[in-house]
Each structure stands twice: as C-alpha cells, then as structure tokens.
Amino acid sequence: MKISTYSADELQKSYGIDVTSLDTGAAARLGVAAAWVDIEPGARSEAHQHDETETWVVVSGTGELTVGVGKHPVRAGTVVQFEPFETHSVENTGDTPLVLLSLYWRDADRAAHAAGGPGDRRFGTRPLFVFSSAPTPNGDLHLGHLSGPFFGADVFVRYQRMNGADAWHLTGSDDYQNYVVAAARREGREPAETAAHYSAEILATLRLMDIDVHQYTATSRDDAYPDALRAFFSRLTDSGTVAPRAGAALFDAVTGTYLFESGVTGRCPTCQAETGGNVCEACLEPNVCTDLVDPRSTASDAPPRAGTVTRYTLPLHRLAEDIAAHHRLGRVPAPVKELAERLLRREHLDIPVTHPAGWGVRPAGTEAEGQVIWSWLDYAYSILHGIESLGRGLGRSWRADAPEQDWKIVHFLGSDGSFFHPMFVPALYRIAHPDWTPDIDYHINEFYLLDNSKFSTSRRHVIWGKDVLSPRTVDSIRFYLALTRPEGRRTNFEHDAYETYVRQTLIGSWQGWLNGLGDRIEKRYGGAAPDAGTWTPEHTAFLARLDTRLRLLTGSLGPDGFSLNQAAETLNGIVEDVTAFARLQAPAADVDSCKDEARTAIALELAAARLLAACAAPVMPRFAARLAAALGGPPPTAWPRTVTLVPAGTPIDLTRQEFFATPGAPEQDPAPQAEAAPQAEAAPQLGPEGTGPLLLPWLSDLVRHTLRLPSDAPVRDSTLVQMGMESLQVIALQYQITEQVGADVSIEDLLGDKSVAELAALIADGAEPDALAAHQEVTA
C-alpha cells in the first residue's frame, strides 16, 4: 500500500496554475499518472491539449470548465473526462481554492482514433465562416493571387459541405486601402470608381476560376458599412485601450502629404530588406514608417521630413497574454507563433489605427480630425459585418455587434498577413468584445513565384487569370495550382512545366486511362459496368490500396491537416495505382478461364474512377461532375466513407470524353486536316529493302482506331506520346501488332521517340513474311 497526501508546499506552476505530481510510486500503484491541481480564486489555466486521456475529480471549490468553445460549471464532486486532443481550460469562479485530482494515461488506439476524427472542434455542428483575405481593388487577379487564399478557401468549403457542414466562403474588396488611392491617381480616376471597377473584375475572375463566394462585401458600396464601422471603432475607444497619442510621423518634403503604406518605402528596421510602409514582406514584422531605414516618398525625390501627429493608437504589447491564449485555441501555424513571440518581446508595440488621409471612413468625434480609420482595423470589422450580411440573406440572426461563441472562423491568407490576421485582429476583438473568445483557424501560404521571381504587374511579369481561364482549362489550372501552390515554402510556376504536366499526366495518364477503360468496357461488356466476379488476392489488395488513398485524401482536405499539395498528389496517386493495377491484369483480360476474374478487375477500375470523381470534387468540380456523369451518376455531393463499386449494368460513357483540353488548343478545335495519300507516306524508304512503308497505312489506321482518332487524322510524323497514348492503350496496340503481323515490339519502343512511320519500319523488321506479303498485295 502507498499513500500520497495533497501538500500545497509542493505546488509548481504549470499551464498557468499550481500543480504537483504524485510521486512515482503512488502513481505506479494507481496504474496512471496523477497530479493535484490548485487554482486560486479568479485564476484560470491556459487552454491546452495533449495526447493522453485525462480524468478530473473536483475535490473542493467551484469553477467554469471550457472545452473547445463550450462552457460547463464544475464543483466539488464533479468528475470530468477529456478525450485526447480536446482543448480545455478551467477558471476558479468561487471565493475559495478550486482543488482537483488529475488522472491521465496514454492509450495509443484512443489517441489515433481521436486524431483522425473531428474531436471537439465540431466542424459539422456549428456555422463555419471561411474567409479568403479580402483583395485590394487596385488591379485584377493573377495566378499568384488565385493560387493562394481564394483557391484554398474554395476547396476547404466544398469539402466541408460534402461532409454536411454549414460552411460558407466569405470575402470582399478592401476598398479603403491606401493602395486604391495610388491606383486611382495612376489611372486618373477617383478612388471609389477605381475600387468599383477592380472589384467587379476580381469577382469575374473568381467566377472563371470556379471559386464560389457566398458573401462578397464591397465596403465602399455598402451604405450601412461606414456607421457600423464607426460603432465598432467606438467600442475600442470606449475601452480606453485605443486612445489618441502623439507620435512621430513622416511627410513628403514637397507636397506635405502624410506618408504611410504605399506612400513610403525604405529598408526594414528588422531585416534590412526593401519594404513598403507598415509591414515587411520578408520578415513579416510591422513597422510604423518612421522606423524605416533610409525612407523614401513615392510622391517626390526629396527625403521625407519628420514630424509629429496625434493618432488613435493601439498598445499591442499590453495584449500579449490575450494573443498567446488565442493562439492556443485554434489552428495556428508555428511560424505565426514564432513571429508573435518575437514581436511581443518588445517593450512597446504601439500601432497607429487612424491616419491623416482623404480616402476612408472617418471615426466619430473630433480627436482625430482629418483622419480615417486604418484599413486593417477596417478589415477586422469587415469580417463581422460580412457574417451579419450573409446571415441576413439566409434568414439567420447573426449580428456583427454581438459575435457568438459558437461561430467557427477560418482564415486563408498570404504570409504577408501573418501579423495582421492572427495578432492585430484578435487583439481588437478582445478589446471590442471582451466576453467573446473567437475560435479562429489560420491557413497561410507563401509567395507563388513566376519563373523564379515574384509576380509583378509593373514589370509585366504576370499571368492574369482571365488570360488562361476558360471552361475547358479551369480544371487543369486548379489541379496544377493545387499541386504546386506555396504551402510552407515558396514555389514556382513555369508555363512550360504546366503545359507538359497537362499533356503527359492529366491527358496522357488520367484521360488516357479513362478513355481506354471505356473502350475496353464497350468491347467486352457492351458499354455497361460488369458485376464483380471471382476475387483474387491482387484484387483485394488493390481495394485496400484505394481505401488507403481515400483516408489520405480525407486527412489532406480535413481542417487540421489541410494541404492541397498532398491532396493533388494523392488524387494523382489513385490514377498511378489503377493504371499499374490494370497493366498487371491486362494479360488475362481475354483468357476464357479468367473471365470472372477479368470482370472483377474492370469493376475495380470503375470503383477507382468513381472514387476519383468523388474525391476530386472539391479540387476540380467540373471534372468531377463530368466523370460522374460518364459513370452513370449525378455530380458528387457527399464525401465517400468507403470505396464502392459502380452498380452492375450502369451505362458507361468514358470512351470519347474530353476531360482535359490540350494546352494552347483553341476553344473550338477546327476540323482535322486530311492526311496525305498512302503514296506520300510510302516515301522515304524506312525499312529493310523498302518494306517499312508497306506497313505504314495499316499501322496508321491501327493507331487511329486504338486512340479513337478521326479516320483522317494525321499521325505519320507523330510519336505515340505526342498523341496522348498511355500505357494501357499501348498494351492493346502491342497485342494487336503481334496478332496481326507477328512482330514483337517492346513497350519501350512504342513509347519512345519514334514516329509512327519509324515504328512501321521497326515492325516490318520483325514481321512475319506472309503478313508483309499481304500488305504488299494491298498497296500494289
């Protein structure tokens, strides 16, 4: 027997409260780890989560337990058990110490199950507001923009909706940005006109990209917005935390214009990189313009002059603990936490939130005469305003001035917003709505480069969305951006690499397999899905492999492990798996004794196609709908829980489907030109003793038939790879060559760099004499 007694003298700080572990011997006899917890009146533990299962037994006192966003009263005699990874904290709401015994242990199976499930985050049971960071309406969207927050948010929402979540994609135009004024001046327009013009262009480009936006807030064209923003600002000033403070400022030496954001450049005071005003894109730290090294005005060549101005200012350093607590609640990438720790080590971090300017919303009162509310504070409120506007259209009672604890917010943003979104904005919410604990996840992408340098409109180093997006190309672009978008590191877009990938992978492999599968089903099963017959170990192993791919995709598109890079790789992995499986099954496809096994193999290929359609739906909705229709079903609307076979007898229409357009091809392909007459194909003499040209007309027709090309399509000087032929079709072609002329030609030769005319010569070299003689008679 071992007895351990609670002793206040042994308490030590852990998670912000007093904790003492039971000694090793006592804990071992209990069979679990154990600790006493003592929370003083008014104290609160830090929100945290861990892989252990934990049970609390409240011994004395009263308090309030928070699990995720739910709150529960506790008192002496309460017993609580936490599943692995449940975020929890407790506050002492009484006048005496809250004492509890914590028992915790590791259960690997339980932890693995919890890690793979939704846990306490309840994505499917509460409203889910997914924001892509509002674009500045000073230009249209290029591929760099599209690859980031907009695309990420769109796929995220599509996946959540397939899983039954009440999910919505919200964004808008950040009209009151200082950069809009710069664009208006450059283009000879008023800021409001410029914002309206580019906001419309941005929306049109998002539609071309098949990005669904359920609430788009154009702040300068919403009549209710200015007064609502002023009311939010007054909440901040009424708290006393945001107040007028005199501080240093920069002014243009010629015009006297106050300089901030796009009006000033210089070197970052932290990393020395070239930067604009208010934030550095290199180290992501904010600046206040006066701290720039060698500042320069963008309005004149004269060095800026220093001055003083009184602005409303937020002392962000005072909210360091609140920001840290916010980061413990939701999904916050490690680089953001590192940036926060770096910034909040500063003794002072005073951020002006009003600026002398003519474009923007002026705050109520006279303390900031001639100033407007800073666009980043404006943006913080626009998030809440967008939720209220969305709710109004849906008949929901969501209010911007009374945010609800049950709201789940997810932000998709570029890395240059790593200070503003996860630090500055939640600090403002803490001041304006102290009783609200916003539950926000952050998904951040780095910069997408074009030919290894940043997209730049000024240098015309850019690919505009409208220049490349169309109904026939949008799926290819969405998939390639998913595969290469900058997640956790900068990545690069190269147009030639994109076109090669589309030709070789999406057309050559994906479409080639699907067309070939349709061809085989037409020939062997009359165009209808066969029922599975006899199952071999290879069949069951392949089914298990498909299930593994499904689980990988579920994790890649889920809220905790969301990664479009991984999702795209796994989608392509399905095709790689099924083409390898089909290639191994092909030799027995026409063996009479294996016909029951052969139809199982085809049924499994169709199951893979069905899985591909369902799992591709968030990433490539048009492709998914077209593929599902070709498999005899409606567009996918629910995320699959398991791999299922296509019902036997379902009509299959895969053979002549175009799922991906050839890069550079016109929207409407012209009629193919007629191929030259056989006499033209017969010259030059390619085979031994001139026999190669004898087989060229035959081989050309065979290739056209196998690839389902028009009867007069030119093929003589093309390789099989150039025509989009893939391995399964090549196997069929290889069999027919052997059967018809007796020549044994390797797959490597067929998929090499030989044209059809050169292949005819190679085949003639190994063909049976009778076959050559027969072709001699045909061409004589």
Side-chain angles (χ1 to χ4, degrees):
M1 175 177 176
K2 185 76 173 181
I3 297 176
S4 178
T5 304
Y6 167 73
S7 172
D9 294 337
E10 299 176 2
L11 294 171
Q12 296 181 340
K13 287 292 181 185
S14 179
Y15 296 113
I17 53 176
D18 295 322
V19 177
T20 180
S21 296
L22 272 69
D23 65 75
T24 304
R29 289 178 179 273
L30 288 172
V32 296
W36 291 105
V37 180
D38 189 318
I39 306 160
E40 291 299 313
R44 181 186 183 91
S45 69
E46 297 174 356
H48 63 285
Q49 56 282 122
H50 40 68
D51 67 312
E52 296 101 336
T53 302
E54 183 175 20
T55 296
W56 284 359
V57 180
V58 181
V59 176
S60 65
T62 59
E64 183 177 68
L65 172 67
T66 300
V67 181
V69 295
K71 297 183 181 296
H72 313 273
V74 295
R75 58 180 175 78
T78 299
V79 178
V80 180
Q81 186 167 97
F82 305 105
E83 291 299 316
F85 314 118
E86 279 193 309
T87 303
H88 56 277
S89 63
V90 65
E91 180 180 4
N92 187 337
T93 58
D95 299 325
T96 60
L98 176 63
V99 179
L100 58 91
L101 175 66
S102 169
L103 307 170
Y104 51 97
W105 62 96
R106 282 192 167 92
D107 183 329
D109 289 340
R110 198 166 181 174
H113 177 76
D120 67 313
R121 287 156 66 73
R122 299 192 300 111
F123 271 71
T125 61
R126 53 180 171 150
L128 179 58
F129 307 111
V130 182
F131 286 85
S132 51
S133 53
T136 303
N138 64 339
D140 204 349
L141 300 179
H142 52 63
L143 286 189
H145 296 132
L146 291 170
S147 70
F150 308 110
F151 184 34
D154 179 69
V155 175
F156 189 95
V157 169
R158 288 178 185 273
Y159 172 80
Q160 289 297 328
R161 288 187 160 205
M162 289 182 76
N163 283 277
D166 193 18
W168 310 92
H169 181 187
L170 301 88
T171 189
S173 54
D174 199 2
D175 289 356
Y176 293 118
Q177 279 271 7
N178 170 264
Y179 295 93
V180 175
V181 178
R185 186 182 302 117
R186 185 173 60 249
E187 298 174 7
R189 289 190 287 205
E190 291 299 315
E193 182 185 3
T194 299
H197 170 75
Y198 283 117
S199 184
E201 292 295 315
I202 288 167
L203 259 177
T205 302
L206 292 177
R207 292 190 185 103
L208 283 173
M209 184 71 173
D210 283 347
I211 291 175
D212 288 341
V213 177
H214 305 107
Q215 171 60 38
Y216 188 90
T217 302
T219 52
S220 68
R221 284 173 289 138
D222 184 330
D223 293 339
Y225 189 81
D227 285 342
L229 174 59
R230 291 187 187 98
F232 178 76
F233 189 83
S234 294
R235 282 178 172 269
L236 300 173
T237 57
D238 289 347
S239 72
T241 304
V242 174
R245 294 179 177 87
L250 292 178
F251 300 85
D252 185 87
V254 176
T255 65
T257 303
Y258 170 82
L259 301 178
F260 73 118
E261 287 189 336
S262 68
V264 61
T265 62
R267 296 202 313 278
C268 172
T270 299
C271 70
Q272 303 298 305
E274 280 294 317
T275 182
N278 296 98
V279 71
C280 174
E281 291 184 351
C283 69
L284 310 178
E285 292 198 13
N287 63 70
V288 292
C289 301
T290 54
D291 54 352
L292 291 173
V293 179
D294 298 328
R296 301 178 301 279
S297 170
T298 59
S300 69
D301 294 331
R305 66 173 177 83
T308 302
V309 65
T310 298
R311 296 159 295 194
Y312 278 97
T313 302
L314 168 67
L316 196 64
H317 51 278
R318 297 185 191 174
L319 290 107
E321 291 185 6
D322 296 295
I323 294 171
H326 174 70
H327 289 176
R328 287 191 293 269
L329 183 59
R331 181 191 192 274
V332 181
V336 171
K337 295 179 180 179
E338 187 277 330
L339 175 63
E341 196 277 336
R342 192 194 326 153
L343 290 176
L344 297 174
R345 281 201 309 260
R346 297 185 186 182
E347 186 176 354
H348 293 283
L349 187 57
D350 295 304
I351 308 295
V353 294
T354 59
H355 295 283
W359 174 243
V361 176
R362 299 188 184 281
T366 59
E367 289 86 349
E369 193 69 35
Q371 297 186 26
V372 299
I373 297 170
W374 189 32
S375 58
W376 275 104
L377 189 152
D378 172 5
Y379 177 71
Y381 172 72
S382 75
I383 293 167
L384 306 180
H385 189 85
I387 293 174
E388 179 175 311
S389 299
L390 173 67
R392 191 180 306 117
L394 297 172
R396 308 280 185 94
S397 58
W398 300 326
R399 290 172 45 194
D401 61 354
E404 299 174 20
Q405 198 61 50
D406 206 39
W407 290 357
K408 178 64 184 182
I409 297 174
V410 179
H411 279 303
F412 281 81
L413 61 140
S415 61
D416 52 345
S418 295
F419 163 69
F420 296 112
H421 289 79
M423 285 176 256
F424 180 72
V425 169
L428 295 175
Y429 291 160
R430 183 64 178 165
I431 299 169
H433 301 287
D435 295 330
W436 179 43
T437 304
D439 182 5
I440 306 178
D441 286 358
Y442 301 93
H443 296 266
I444 298 177
N445 60 269
E446 297 290 334
F447 286 111
Y448 200 34
L449 305 179
L450 174 60
D451 295 330
N452 293 305
S453 63
K454 284 185 64 177
F455 280 79
S456 171
T457 56
S458 62
R459 293 187 289 110
R460 297 184 179 180
H461 185 70
V462 68
I463 299 176
W464 297 109
K466 289 190 177 72
D467 290 341
V468 294
L469 288 167
S470 74
R472 295 181 69 216
T473 63
V474 64
D475 281 323
S476 299
I477 290 172
R478 283 176 65 107
F479 185 82
Y480 193 73
L481 292 186
L483 185 69
T484 61
R485 73 193 294 264
E487 296 176 0
R489 79 281 188 233
R490 293 188 176 190
T491 55
N492 185 51
F493 181 90
E494 293 181 354
H495 198 271
D496 289 346
Y498 159 71
E499 291 195 346
T500 298
Y501 189 87
V502 172
R503 287 193 180 95
Q504 293 185 352
T505 302
L506 296 182
I507 296 176
S509 182
W510 290 42
Q511 186 165 295
W513 161 59
L514 291 168
N515 292 162
L517 174 60
D519 186 53
R520 285 177 280 135
I521 291 172
E522 280 189 7
K523 290 178 179 178
R524 297 172 189 163
Y525 305 102
D531 194 7
T534 302
W535 286 68
T536 69
E538 292 91 339
H539 295 153
T540 55
F542 178 64
L543 180 62
R545 181 66 174 167
L546 290 179
D547 183 69
T548 298
R549 292 292 186 186
L550 172 57
R551 286 187 282 110
L552 287 171
L553 279 161
T554 301
S556 298
L557 295 176
D560 297 336
F562 185 83
S563 168
L564 283 178
N565 292 169
Q566 293 177 15
E569 290 171 359
T570 307
L571 286 170
N572 187 54
I574 292 175
V575 180
E576 290 179 339
D577 289 346
V578 71
T579 52
F581 169 76
R583 185 166 56 248
L584 292 173
Q585 298 298 308
D590 294 315
V591 177
D592 286 343
S593 62
C594 298
K595 61 182 181 180
D596 288 337
E597 296 177 7
R599 57 191 173 95
T600 303
I602 293 294
L604 282 169
E605 284 193 65
L606 285 171
R610 190 182 207 184
L611 180 67
L612 183 64
C615 294
V619 180
M620 296 181 288
R622 289 177 188 255
F623 165 79
R626 197 157 49 246
L627 178 54
L631 297 172
T637 56
W639 188 255
R641 295 291 179 261
T642 187
V643 181
T644 58
L645 303 179
V646 174
T650 301
I652 303 299
D653 183 23
L654 290 169
T655 305
R656 283 161 288 277
Q657 294 285 347
E658 180 197 72
F659 294 105
F660 303 100
T662 302
E667 283 301 296
Q668 296 296 328
D669 291 330
Q673 297 177 357
E675 189 170 19
Q679 289 83 355
E681 286 202 4
Q685 301 294 306
L686 298 174
E689 301 179 358
T691 55
L694 296 177
L695 297 184
L696 183 52
W698 161 79
L699 183 59
S700 297
D701 287 340
L702 189 60
V703 169
R704 291 187 193 100
H705 175 76
T706 305
L707 281 178
R708 296 286 176 177
L709 298 175
S711 60
D712 55 356
V715 299
R716 177 189 187 280
D717 296 318
S718 301
T719 68
L720 300 184
V721 171
Q722 288 171 337
M723 289 183 285
M725 201 170 198
E726 56 92 36
S727 57
L728 293 179
Q729 294 167 314
V730 170
I731 290 172
L733 182 66
Q734 184 187 43
Y735 285 162
Q736 293 181 58
I737 291 170
T738 302
E739 181 179 347
Q740 294 185 32
V741 298
D744 185 12
V745 183
S746 70
I747 294 295
E748 289 75 14
D749 282 328
L750 291 174
L751 287 179
D753 57 2
K754 292 180 173 60
S755 68
V756 171
E758 291 168 331
L759 284 172
L762 180 66
I763 293 167
D765 190 29
E768 295 175 352
D770 291 345
L772 287 175
H775 284 285
Q776 177 70 52
E777 293 174 2
V778 170
T779 57

